Every structure is written in C-alpha cells, then in structure tokens.
Amino acid sequence: MIRSFLPSLRRARLQVPAPVMLLIGMFTLHTGSALAVTAFAQASPATITWLRLTWAALLLLALGGRSLWRAVREATWRQRASVVILGTASAGMMMFYSEATARIELGTATAIEFLGTLVVAVAAMRRRRELVWIAAAVAGVLCLTRPWEGELDLLGVGFALAGAVCVVFYIVLTQKVGAGFGAVHGLALTMAVGSLVTAPFGAPGAFAAPDPGLILFTLLIALLFPMVPFLLEMIALQRMTRTAYSTFSSMEPGVALVMGLVVIGQAPAALQIVGMALVVVAGIGATRGERGGRPAVPEVVRERGRTAPTGEAGQAAAPALEPAEPVRGGETPDPAPATAAVPGRAA
C-alpha cells in the first residue's frame, strides 16, 4: 500500500488543479487543528502535539522506505543540519499554536501567527509603503482580540505571538541553508525531528496515563494535519506561480475562522469578522510586488544522489519540500529557499 502511494500522488498531481489541492489542504489542516482543540480536555496541548508529530513521522518514515535512508547517507552535513533546523522551527510553531488554540479562538490564533509571514514578506520587498499591509493586519488582529473589552487571554495571545516569531525564524533560517531532500523524504525527516524536540514536553503526559482511544484519535488528527495538507501543498507548490500561491495562502486565517465555527462552534462577533477580513486583505496586498511568472517551487529530479534543477537554467533548484519564498507571504530574494509548511502551519 505504501509503495502505491507515491504513484497515486503523481496521478493526483496531474489530474487535480493546484488551487483545488491547496484549498483542500487548508480545510483539512484546520479541520485537524479544530479537532485537536477538542482533545485538549483529555491531554495537554503539548501531549497532543507530540502524538500528532510522532504519528506523522512514523507514517512518513515508512512511506520513505529504503530510499529515505539512502538519501540521508548521501546528504551533506549542511543538508542534514537544515533538516534539524526546519524540524525544530516546525515543532515550535506547532507547539505554540496548540497552546494558543487551547486558550483563544482558532481563527484568532491563526491570524496572529500569520503576522510572522507578513513581516518577512514585507521586509523582503524593501518598500516603506508596503508597511500599510502590516498596519492593516495589526488592526485586524486588534479587532479579533478586542483587548478593550477586558476579556483578552494574554497567555493565549502570547503563545500565538511566539508562534509568529517561530515563523520568522523558520522562514529566514531555511532560506539560508535549504535542504537537499525530496518532498516525502524531507517531510519525514522534519516530522521526526519535530517529534524528538517536543518529546520532553509531550511524552511524559502520554506515558503517565496511556489512553488508547486518544492515541488513535491523534492518528486521525495527524493525517488531517500535518501529513495530508503538507503533501498536497508540496504538490500544488510545483504548479502554481508565487503570486497565485501567496494569494491563496492569504485566505488561510479566514479558513481557520470558518472551521472553528463549523467544527467546534467558535462563532465570531461582527467586529471579529471585520478583523479577519483586514488580515486576509493584508496578506493578499502583500503579494502585489511579486514577479508572478515563475512556479513557487521548481521541480527537482534525483541524479546520482544529488538534487538537480528542472526549472530555470542556472538557478539552484529547491526540492519539492521547499518553496523559493516565505510561505503565506510576498517576494523574497531567490538565492535560497524556504520550506513550505504551514504554518499555523506549520502549526
């Protein structure tokens, strides 16, 4: 079954339009995030996050098979280090996001984390007028959190802001180092590192009071997020321009708000809907300065154990795991790629 999965991915890549895959991934991701919130009554957010990452790592390591270990042996130390950095950043985003959604609404937590991507996107444009999008997003977050009403959960907002900081480091660091692995291999190793990083925080709770039902439930959540959305996004990234990808990704805070309403009944107030609209508009506006003609990720092939570009001549191609721009954001310099995960994703 595992061996037949990759050909199925390739067929899906040819048959399903990339924007559809990206939207399916978004809704799947935030369905998983919303279901994870329901599990916080049974275990801590750290435990749920660790179980999700561990399940995703085990499934993807099995999916990678022998070729995964061959790729690890052939990789350089710098490539291996990049996976460790990526896995650590991903673990931080997911852990902080889970802690935030345990305390504040799903859509609000996603919008706050989205600030990290906007900061990197606008900074990369190097034009002062683009700061208007940061201002719009901050105004949107204020409408979402409504601090003047005195009911603001400062700890939840703090965790979401910590997640936004992780997003910034995640994008910047992976741009500098990159990784030489393909999509499934890179994601498998990233999830494995994330599982190890979060183990000290989440594993004690899982082993202290084992709950078979909860463990199986986290398997379902792991499929919904991060495994299936990340794989769909990686495929979509190879077929979409940067502008198209960034525009669609900017809708993610709105998707989170919708799934929070549908799955766990987090009904937004009218002002919160206005705030979410401001965040989404800010994300779309930040894509205006992009050169949209190129794919977000050039395709790669494996040749003699090394990654070879199939995109534009003379450019260093990113593997399928890595978009050549910050996720959810605007234009960045080309020399090194960032990895497409998720945010909230990365959450």
Side-chain angles (χ1 to χ4, degrees):
M1 181 178 72
I2 289 176
R3 290 181 180 177
S4 66
F5 185 73
L6 292 178
S8 298
L9 278 177
R10 285 191 286 269
R11 286 194 298 272
R13 180 184 164 194
L14 296 174
Q15 295 173 0
V16 181
V20 173
M21 283 193 289
L22 192 58
L23 288 173
I24 291 173
M26 282 186 205
F27 279 98
T28 304
L29 184 154
H30 288 293
T31 299
S33 296
L35 290 175
V37 173
T38 67
F40 294 159
Q42 299 172 263
S44 70
T47 296
I48 299 299
T49 300
W50 177 72
L51 287 170
R52 289 161 59 193
L53 282 168
T54 302
W55 274 122
L58 291 173
L59 292 169
L60 286 163
L61 288 172
L63 188 63
R66 293 182 181 178
S67 61
L68 170 61
W69 308 116
R70 184 169 61 251
V72 172
R73 288 195 302 270
E74 294 172 350
T76 65
W77 281 106
R78 184 177 180 180
Q79 290 169 339
R80 294 169 189 164
S82 72
V83 171
V84 174
I85 293 171
L86 173 60
T88 303
S90 299
M93 287 188 296
M94 291 186 68
M95 181 75 76
F96 287 130
Y97 184 75
S98 294
E99 293 287 354
T101 55
R103 296 166 173 83
I104 60 178
E105 290 87 354
L106 191 70
T108 301
T110 304
I112 295 173
E113 250 197 18
F114 188 68
L115 293 176
T117 301
L118 278 176
V119 167
V120 176
V122 171
M125 291 179 186
R126 298 185 177 91
R127 293 193 296 267
R128 289 185 180 180
R129 65 176 180 271
E130 301 298 340
L131 292 175
V132 67
W133 305 119
I134 295 292
V138 170
V141 168
L142 288 174
C143 291
L144 283 162
T145 54
R146 297 170 296 173
W148 53 83
E149 293 186 0
E151 299 178 358
L152 181 63
D153 189 317
L154 293 177
L155 187 57
V157 172
F159 278 124
L161 287 172
V165 173
C166 281
V167 170
V168 173
F169 282 101
Y170 166 85
I171 293 170
V172 172
L173 289 173
T174 50
Q175 283 178 333
K176 292 183 182 299
V177 295
F181 300 96
V184 175
H185 291 169
L187 185 56
L189 295 171
T190 298
M191 294 295 102
V193 172
S195 175
L196 291 174
V197 170
T198 55
F201 307 98
F207 288 114
D211 184 340
L214 179 63
I215 292 172
L216 289 175
F217 186 57
T218 55
L219 169 59
L220 170 64
I221 297 174
L223 291 172
L224 293 173
F225 172 50
M227 186 172 171
V228 170
F230 283 7
L231 288 173
L232 287 174
E233 185 175 65
M234 288 172 195
I235 297 169
L237 280 166
Q238 295 176 357
R239 299 167 54 197
M240 298 180 73
T241 64
R242 294 180 178 188
T243 302
Y245 170 71
S246 298
T247 301
F248 273 93
S249 297
S250 299
M251 294 188 287
E252 185 158 331
V255 172
L257 183 144
V258 170
M259 298 316 297
L261 172 64
V262 172
V263 178
I264 51 181
Q266 293 180 341
L271 187 60
Q272 289 179 302
I273 295 175
V274 173
M276 185 60 69
L278 283 171
V279 173
V280 171
V281 168
I284 295 173
T287 69
R288 295 180 314 151
E290 295 186 27
R291 300 183 301 273
R294 290 178 292 172
V297 181
E299 293 187 48
V300 298
V301 296
R302 288 278 177 182
E303 183 177 337
R304 297 180 183 176
R306 297 180 67 86
T307 304
T310 62
E312 296 181 31
Q315 288 189 337
L321 181 61
E322 303 174 351
E325 61 171 0
V327 289
R328 316 283 184 267
E331 183 70 22
T332 66
D334 288 333
T339 302
V342 167
R345 264 285 175 231

